[in-house]
Amino acid sequence: MPHTAIEDLLRELAPQVLGALVRRYGDFDAAEDALQEALLAAATQWPADGLPGNPRGWLIQVGARRMVDAIRADSARRNRETADAIRDPERLGTATPDPADAVIAALSETGLDQLAAAPGADSASRAADTSGASGIRGTADPGGAVTGRAARDTGTEDRDDTLTLFFLCCHPALSPASAIALTLRAVGGLTTEEIARAFLLPERTMAQRITRAKKRIAEQDRPFAMPAESNGQRGEWNTRLDSVLRVLYLIFTEGHTSGGERLRRGDLSSEAIRLARALYRVLPDNPEVTGLLALLLLTDARRAARTGEHGELIPLAEQDRGLWDREMIIEGVRLATASVSRGLIGPYQIQAAIAALHAQALRPEDTDWPRILLLYNALERQSPNPMVTLNRAVATAMVHGPQAGLDLADTLAESLPGNHRLDAVRGHLHEMAGDHEEAVACYTAAARSTTSLPERDYLTIRAARLRRG
């Protein structure tokens, strides 16, 4: 099997394995370390020996053995410290440790042995148990790591923990910024350096954010339980799933409309789509999960047409639609159609339907603006916020004229003070109405407040063209 194919497989399996280890042992940091050793063992052995019969089970067993070894070593260290303290209490001060700690540690170690001693575990983990420069000496049986009865007996190897990991990373106790960072680290497999670079932050700052997120989760009661396991309330399940979808949407948005010198960060938007696909594989019948994936695909399908040869922004109405990714549009429309067939019950479904209508228009003048306006009305009723209203103002202008759109946009002055998107939309609508002087003023204000250099250049050029008449 080619190295690149193995790398892709390991990337796909990594969050599933991490989720299994985290759920089993409850230690995020130790599980990440064990996962890295299991991935290293696989990357070393699979190209030469071939894939095991159950690659995910192989990785879980190797990681579990590493976890057990690490916890056993820590238990042995604590036992030695306890024994030393009993013999010489003054070495640790006046307080004498409770000898029962050693008994508890011994019982814990026995439980760990039972957890790790599933059938087939030894053959998978012998490679990770040996030493050397890379920590790997032996060669695991490529076909016998976890096959047949072993995989059936352990149970864990047959369970996809990707959803568990998603829900863990998007725990309600975490802020959106922390949830995004932790999701990219644990589910996406990005390094701390890559995440920091994507968000234009120092690596140390991002590392601290991820560490705080893990600590915050560890402080929660039963943090690794799925919502249904916690209290059986569907409401909490929906809240947690909403958080997962929101995090994926924010990751994509950050990549699609990145600030700074580039309009788009392809690494982030592509990662968001990959993670959305992973979630869709786990929850294919959830209309909002389907809607989100459709929305991301339909939006990203336009990426090649959004910028010119010098990186300048090209608005939707002026894009060369021949550059749109037709295969991605076909997939996105198919998913959007499947999603809305269950009724428009969620914001991502509605946004996907809007994106599908834009994607299906061969020319800007073919756009079904009346239907898009109806969808924005529905979206605002379901998820009222100023940005939805701003988009509805544009659709209103396209159906009822620019003044109707301006009247609606003007109601957002207090909720979006100094927002460059509001100024840009007002500039566009004033231009539609023929009021070039007011349009120039709005475009200029928007250019001053945006953090995106391509957007700033586009708005500045737009204002300059209107000044020249």
Side-chain angles (χ1 to χ4, degrees):
M1 190 174 188
H3 283 273
T4 54
I6 290 177
E7 290 174 2
D8 291 342
L9 177 60
L10 292 176
R11 183 179 177 85
E12 178 184 343
L13 293 176
Q16 302 177 35
V17 175
L18 179 60
L21 296 176
V22 167
R23 179 172 54 82
R24 180 186 288 187
Y25 297 106
D27 188 327
F28 211 116
D29 287 326
E32 280 193 309
D33 291 341
L35 170 65
Q36 291 306 313
E37 295 202 38
L39 293 175
L40 179 59
T44 302
Q45 296 171 51
W46 291 1
D49 301 339
L51 289 180
N54 182 345
R56 183 162 62 95
W58 192 98
L59 291 168
I60 291 173
Q61 292 289 10
V62 173
R65 175 58 66 182
R66 278 304 193 190
M67 291 282 289
V68 168
D69 289 346
I71 298 173
R72 183 185 292 118
D74 183 66
S75 176
R77 176 187 56 77
R78 287 187 285 105
N79 287 346
R80 289 194 300 272
E81 291 175 352
T82 300
D84 290 344
I86 292 173
R87 288 193 296 269
D88 188 5
E90 293 185 0
R91 288 181 58 188
L92 296 178
T94 56
T96 302
D98 187 349
D101 286 347
V103 178
I104 294 172
L107 290 174
S108 299
E109 185 172 344
T110 300
L112 289 171
D113 284 337
Q114 292 172 350
L115 280 172
D122 290 341
S123 62
S125 57
R126 270 195 288 271
D129 284 336
T130 54
S131 59
S134 64
I136 302 169
R137 263 199 327 237
T139 301
D141 175 6
V146 184
T147 57
R149 185 174 62 86
R152 290 192 299 271
D153 288 349
T154 58
T156 298
E157 287 69 26
D158 289 328
R159 171 173 169 174
D160 186 346
D161 284 278
T162 302
L163 186 59
T164 301
L165 196 56
F166 264 120
F167 275 49
L168 177 64
C169 293
C170 300
H171 195 284
L174 300 180
S175 68
S178 296
I180 288 172
L182 193 57
T183 300
L184 288 173
R185 180 74 182 88
V187 188
L190 276 65
T191 65
T192 303
E193 179 184 6
E194 289 172 329
I195 301 171
R197 187 166 60 246
F199 288 92
L200 305 178
L201 290 173
E203 183 177 355
R204 181 177 180 182
T205 300
M206 186 56 69
Q208 291 173 342
R209 179 177 295 178
I210 294 173
T211 299
R212 286 195 299 269
K214 293 176 183 177
K215 182 178 180 181
R216 180 69 173 161
I217 287 176
E219 293 171 350
Q220 304 303 306
D221 181 39
R222 296 193 69 204
F224 307 104
M226 295 290 283
E229 297 175 15
S230 299
N231 57 16
Q233 297 298 313
R234 188 68 182 174
E236 185 180 352
W237 167 279
N238 290 334
T239 299
R240 294 286 286 274
L241 182 57
D242 287 347
S243 296
V244 172
L245 298 177
R246 173 173 165 75
V247 164
L248 293 182
Y249 181 75
L250 290 175
I251 293 172
F252 178 84
T253 301
E254 178 65 26
H256 186 69
T257 56
S258 180
E261 297 182 359
R262 289 184 292 171
L263 182 67
R264 178 180 181 273
R265 288 197 56 92
D267 52 352
L268 278 182
S269 52
S270 297
E271 185 62 21
I273 291 174
R274 190 184 73 83
L275 296 178
R277 287 189 187 280
L279 186 60
Y280 175 70
R281 284 195 296 271
V282 179
L283 296 172
D285 297 324
N286 185 285
E288 276 290 80
V289 172
T290 306
L292 177 64
L293 178 56
L295 173 62
L296 302 192
L297 291 171
L298 290 167
T299 304
D300 199 55
R302 302 195 297 264
R303 66 183 181 276
R306 292 182 67 228
T307 55
E309 58 179 330
H310 302 296
E312 68 274 18
L313 171 66
I314 300 178
L316 178 62
E318 300 174 17
Q319 290 176 11
D320 179 357
R321 301 190 176 210
L323 297 177
W324 290 1
D325 189 321
R326 303 311 301 180
E327 290 186 5
M328 194 175 284
I329 287 175
I330 291 171
E331 182 184 5
V333 170
R334 178 181 60 79
L335 289 168
T337 302
S339 175
V340 300
S341 65
R342 299 179 176 88
L344 292 174
I345 60 176
Y348 297 112
Q349 290 176 283
I350 299 175
Q351 291 178 78
I354 293 171
L357 289 175
H358 279 297
Q360 290 175 310
L362 298 179
R363 301 173 302 169
E365 55 267 32
D366 296 332
T367 304
D368 191 347
W369 283 108
R371 187 170 296 179
I372 288 175
L373 178 57
L374 291 174
L375 288 169
Y376 271 122
N377 290 338
L379 180 61
E380 190 172 42
R381 286 194 299 270
Q382 188 165 109
S383 301
N385 71 70
M387 296 310 297
V388 172
T389 303
L390 186 59
N391 287 323
R392 185 166 70 87
V394 174
T396 298
M398 300 305 293
V399 176
H400 301 296
Q403 189 57 53
L406 280 167
D407 291 342
L408 181 55
D410 288 344
T411 65
L412 300 172
E414 292 186 5
S415 55
L416 294 175
N419 185 281
H420 79 278
R421 297 195 185 283
L422 175 58
D423 286 326
V425 167
R426 294 183 72 250
H428 173 61
L429 298 183
H430 278 297
E431 184 179 356
M432 285 179 60
D435 188 350
H436 289 185
E437 183 178 351
E438 191 63 33
V440 167
C442 291
Y443 283 142
T444 303
R448 290 197 191 103
S449 56
T450 183
T451 60
S452 168
L453 294 183
E455 283 187 346
R456 184 199 65 187
D457 293 344
Y458 164 77
L459 293 164
T460 302
I461 292 171
R462 198 87 182 183
R465 287 175 179 170
L466 290 178
R467 286 193 190 96
R468 291 197 301 266

